[in-house]
């Protein structure tokens, strides 16, 4: 095992660091020094300008093929980029559900036409994708989705409702699970559809999160006609009625690698150590150091994951263990920051805002109770 970076990788890091540091400062200045949250309408527009800046310089999706807007970097270089991204204090990616969730499934299961027609526009922020899986009665139990797609001449008629659709109110497209066999139950008879939100019969209603940002939407489908060619290469991703397998491929990369890379937590852990130096007593400094080690352990774990993936493995049920680790780590890091800040933590600032969002980590991407069930049954082989 060689844990050192090569000269080329170090050069890649230096280039990324230089560009990110300079450009994030320029973008912040453009936003008057204090960009709004990307989960508000105003902030989303500001963040899109940042996405465009990344894309134009070839930094939006470094590990993708050049024809799709990337620079063909290795997964290790992507990890380095992510470290530098968060170290430089760059903003959350408002394109994340497209580039980190849908795109890996398009690479794995999409047709060449879907890849050519969808990925580059996604990377450029021309098309903005949201995830339409959860429904009012299908969250943890995703296999009970009831939104339907009925086959008609030239396309599908969609009916039903999705909820908790992150940034749905600001997006242009949705990738969702729909029941295409009306007589089916549970995991069978579901199809993964790619849906332009401007389709007549679709209503998107944004609503506020607990922190006040309009980060969520409900999406209603009322006899919405989705033409087969509404998306380049066709609206079905993967096999017809094989939607569950596609969804599990998406969930594997979401939980196990792409959505929350170690760079995010390493950067937070470094900031926490600085805060602990400034304000902590012995006990709090020790807790901060322990949390930093947990972030470092996540980094080491991810290097092992990437080594397996580069060798041809697919993310499997182990992704659930990874998700447990990063979501609990985020809560740990932020809780310590609030203890360090004491009464000052009540003033809304980056640490308290980060803590509020960290609390949702054990819920999104599949709740941690469900991840424990998956790990117990499918990794450890325990009985149901
Ligand atoms: C910040 C955030 C962003 C999100 N973004 C999206 C998005 O973009 N698109 C999307 O489709 N969804 C999104 N979601 C929804 C998310 O996927 C669901 O909230 C999640 O899957 C849980 O479903 P639920 O809310 O219906 O809770 P429920 O499924 O009703 O669960 C309630 C509680 O019961 C527990 N529970 C349920 N079943 C079991 C079981 N079998 N064993 C043990 N415990 C169980 C759960 O762990 C949980 O604690 C988002 C959620 C959050 C918080």
């Amino acid at each position: 095992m060689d844990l050192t970076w090569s000269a080329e990788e170090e050069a890649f890091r230096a280039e990324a660091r230089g560009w990110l540091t300079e450009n994030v400062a320029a973008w912040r200045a453009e936003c008057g020094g204090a960009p709004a949250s990307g989960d508000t309408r105003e902030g989303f527009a500001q963040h899109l300008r940042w996405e465009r800046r990344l894309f134009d310089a070839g930094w939006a999706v470094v590990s993708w093929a050049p024809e799709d807007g990337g620079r063909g970097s290795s997964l290790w270089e992507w990890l380095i980029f992510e470290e530098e991204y968060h170290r430089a204090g760059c903003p959350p990616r408002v394109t994340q559900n497209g580039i980190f969730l849908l795109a890996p499934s398009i690479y794995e299961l999409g047709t060449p036409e879907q890849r050519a027609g969808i990925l580059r526009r996604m990377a450029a922020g021309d098309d903005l994708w949201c995830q339409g899986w959860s429904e009012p009665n299908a969250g943890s139990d995703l296999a009970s989705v009831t939104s339907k797609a009925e086959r008609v001449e030239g396309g599908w008629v969609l009916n039903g409702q999705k909820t908790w659709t992150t940034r749905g109110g600001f997006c242009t497209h949705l990738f969702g699970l729909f029941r295409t066999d009306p007589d089916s139950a549970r995991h069978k008879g579901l199809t993964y559809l790619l849906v332009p939100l401007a389709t007549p019969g679709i209503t998107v209603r944004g609503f506020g999160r607990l922190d006040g940002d309009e980060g969520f939407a409900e999406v209603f489908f009322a006899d919405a006609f989705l033409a087969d060619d509404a998306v380049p290469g066709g609206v079905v991703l993967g096999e017809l009625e094989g939607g569950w397998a596609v969804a599990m491929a998406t969930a594997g990369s979401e939980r196990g690698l792409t959505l929350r890379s170690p760079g995010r937590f390493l950067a937070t852990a470094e900031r926490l150590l600085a805060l602990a130096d400034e304000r902590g007593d012995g006990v709090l400094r020790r807790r901060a150091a322990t949390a930093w080690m947990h972030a470092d352990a996540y980094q080491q774990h991810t290097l092992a994951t990437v080594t397996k993936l580069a060798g041809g493995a697919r993310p499997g049920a182990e992704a659930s263990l990874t998700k447990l680790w990063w979501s609990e780590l985020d809560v740990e890091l932020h809780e310590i920051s609030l203890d360090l800040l004491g009464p000052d933590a009540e003033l809304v600032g980056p640490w308290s805002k980060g803590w509020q969002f960290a609390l949702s980590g054990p819920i999104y991407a599949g709740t941690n109770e469900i991840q424990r069930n998956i790990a117990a049954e499918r990794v450890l082989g325990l009985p149901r």
Side-chain angles (χ1 to χ4, degrees), residues 97 131-134 138-141 163-166 216 357 360 363-367 369-370 373:
N97 286 0
Q131 180 186 26
W133 291 13
S134 305
S140 299
D141 191 12
T163 190
W164 308 123
T165 317
T166 293
F216 283 134
F357 190 71
S360 68
I363 303 172
Y364 68 78
T367 71
E369 288 75 22
I370 296 301
N373 283 347

Side-chain angles (χ1 to χ4, degrees), residues 105 109 133 192 237-239 242-251:
S105 297
L109 301 157
W133 291 13
Y192 202 101
L237 181 61
E239 302 279 322
W244 187 256
V246 188
M248 289 308 100
T250 304

Side-chain angles (χ1 to χ4, degrees), residues 265-297:
F265 306 104
L266 287 169
T268 307
E270 289 292 341
R271 285 184 194 115
L272 186 70
L273 287 189
L275 187 68
D277 270 347
E278 206 182 290
R279 306 183 66 136
D281 60 12
V283 173
L284 283 167
R285 286 160 72 130
R286 199 148 121 186
R287 279 175 63 202
T290 305
W292 183 93
M293 286 190 276
H294 291 160
D296 187 62

